[in-house]
Amino acid sequence: MSNGCRLHISRRKRSDETEKRVVIALGGNALGSTLPEQMAAVKTTAAAIVDLIEVDCEVVVIHGNGPQVGMINNAMIALTHEDEAQPNTPLSVCVAMSQAYIGYDLQNALREELLSRGITDIPVATMITQVRVDGKDPAFLNPSKPIGKFLSAEAAEEVAAKYGYIMKEDAGRGFRRVVASPKPAEIIEIGTIRTMVESGDLVIACGGGGIPVIRQGNHLKGASAVIDKDFASCLLAKELDADSLIILTAVEKVAVNYGKPDEKWLNELSVSEAKSYIEKGHFAPGSMLPKVEAAIDFASSKEGRTAIITLLEKSRDAVQGKTGTVFHK
Ligand code: ADP
Ligand code: MG
């Protein structure tokens, strides 16, 4: 059979020794909160990622989805109001939709950035990824992750009664749906992700922490949850035997006494120092704490592995040791 009509990309040999395998976790600021914001943000994000490829990193990308999964969830609720034949959309399906929506923008922006720098041998692809969680994870009994928009007390009561959602007051700003955030236990598509990475593709995987599923024999049942992308990025980096996990967020470094007069930005942290700062409450739960926990987990998992927390725009400087907070064993 002739394959004359296929677009042939000769892939870069990517497992050579000069390359460092890096898992990049993108935070909220890498994607924005609305469709036009995301379209603009992915351009900057793609430039930061291709900067790393240009300094000989083999990059695998994972991203968060807090605003996007909330937006999709609200849109699907609106659909049920409009059309009674449409039942409520499970949260696992909303996460799947967010992976496709974000992956589409991101893979397009990455492709364009690579081509505009003359890099023609790295295909880009998004892997729709399921991540197994434990149905007995205590997080299911204590939903803590707010998603979606803020509602009045009356509107919150209405959706709680209609869909059984748990609504919580969020810092004086109104009521939001809170969902469970169980720990990731297994990346279902890891074999395929590994094959793609090994063959030289630039892969976006485990978006939004992965589609949460619970194993029921051969069946994977979607779970009503949103997995923290910081924890999923650590599992992905370990599974791919990455050299570094780089968590890109809205601050250049991690601080102790954050926001206080005696705030101190940290250049490096050993695992034991980081653990003692956690005990003293230096990292806010739901924002910096999961990043620091993921960084500790990765840095202590094998000799030579490092984790870095820094700003998106500083990622190249950070892999070259010039900035960010570096976690080591
Ligand atoms: P992302 O969308 O990247 O996951 P988050 O808002 O969840 O971002 O977490 C990053 C935020 O954590 C920072 O912007 C900062 O406001 C906050 N933060 C809390 N504690 C600390 C700390 N000790 N050092 C630095 N930033 C901190
Ligand atoms: Mg976060």
Side-chain angles (χ1 to χ4, degrees):
M1 194 181 84
S2 158
N3 67 352
C5 332
R6 278 192 214 145
L7 176 66
H8 180 72
I9 295 182
S10 58
R11 287 183 166 87
R12 174 175 290 213
K13 191 95 201 92
R14 297 184 74 196
S15 314
D16 88 50
E17 278 169 18
T18 58
E19 288 200 328
K20 200 173 150 182
R21 183 171 289 175
V22 170
V23 169
I24 299 279
L26 301 173
N29 64 330
L31 301 168
S33 301
T34 64
L35 272 86
E37 269 178 32
Q38 178 167 302
M39 191 65 94
V42 289
K43 289 194 178 29
T44 313
T45 303
I49 292 169
V50 178
D51 279 353
L52 294 182
I53 292 171
E54 284 190 331
V55 293
D56 280 338
C57 291
E58 182 194 57
V59 178
V60 182
V61 180
I62 161 168
H63 58 80
N65 73 348
Q68 295 81 5
V69 78
M71 176 181 87
I72 291 166
N73 189 236
N74 287 335
M76 300 315 286
I77 290 175
L79 176 70
T80 66
H81 284 299
E82 246 170 51
D83 178 357
E84 284 195 353
Q86 294 284 357
N88 194 29
T89 307
L91 199 49
S92 49
V93 176
C94 296
V95 174
M97 289 174 170
S98 78
Q99 285 188 352
Y101 156 55
I102 296 168
Y104 163 50
D105 272 358
L106 207 48
Q107 74 188 22
N108 232 340
L110 282 166
R111 176 182 179 276
E112 193 173 329
E113 186 68 28
L114 286 164
L115 293 178
S116 71
R117 296 198 203 183
I119 303 172
T120 56
D121 56 356
I122 302 181
V124 189
T126 302
M127 184 71 203
I128 298 298
T129 318
Q130 303 174 90
V131 171
R132 186 177 63 77
V133 297
D134 180 353
K136 295 196 179 77
D137 190 309
F140 281 108
L141 301 174
N142 179 30
S144 59
K145 191 177 175 68
I147 62 161
K149 63 181 178 186
F150 292 93
L151 297 175
S152 67
E154 302 75 59
E157 246 172 63
E158 194 189 311
V159 294
K162 190 159 179 195
Y163 304 117
Y165 289 173
I166 300 169
M167 306 298 292
K168 277 190 188 158
E169 223 274 329
D170 187 351
R173 294 172 294 181
F175 288 79
R176 285 177 94 185
R177 180 178 182 196
V178 285
V179 299
S181 197
K183 290 282 188 311
E186 178 189 357
I187 299 166
I188 304 293
E189 287 80 13
I190 191 65
T192 314
I193 295 168
R194 201 177 279 127
T195 304
M196 290 163 83
V197 171
E198 295 290 343
S199 70
D201 295 4
L202 171 48
V203 184
I204 302 161
C206 296
I211 303 162
V213 293
I214 294 168
R215 193 187 292 283
Q216 294 181 334
N218 286 339
H219 178 62
L220 296 174
K221 185 181 187 303
S224 188
V226 176
I227 300 168
D228 196 307
K229 67 101 180 39
D230 296 318
F231 295 132
S233 70
C234 175
L235 181 58
L236 181 64
K238 286 198 275 191
E239 287 290 333
L240 293 175
D241 196 18
D243 301 293
S244 293
L245 169 63
I246 305 188
I247 301 180
L248 299 178
T249 186
V251 284
E252 188 167 339
K253 292 179 186 179
V254 176
V256 282
N257 302 314
Y258 177 70
K260 296 184 186 150
D262 54 348
E263 174 180 84
K264 187 172 160 235
W265 299 99
L266 304 169
N267 296 326
E268 55 177 340
L269 266 177
S270 70
V271 165
S272 60
E273 283 169 329
K275 283 182 179 165
S276 93
Y277 286 138
I278 287 180
E279 276 170 25
K280 292 178 189 136
H282 283 285
F283 313 121
S287 61
M288 191 46 76
L289 182 60
K291 294 181 208 317
V292 172
E293 287 175 338
I296 289 174
D297 185 351
F298 184 70
S300 56
S301 61
K302 194 172 168 183
E303 207 58 50
R305 287 180 176 171
T306 55
I308 306 174
I309 299 177
T310 194
L311 264 183
L312 176 71
E313 295 78 4
K314 298 283 178 178
S315 52
R316 178 158 52 182
D317 287 349
V319 291
Q320 295 178 329
K322 295 178 193 161
T323 190
T325 303
V326 182
F327 293 73
H328 51 80
K329 210 167 174 177

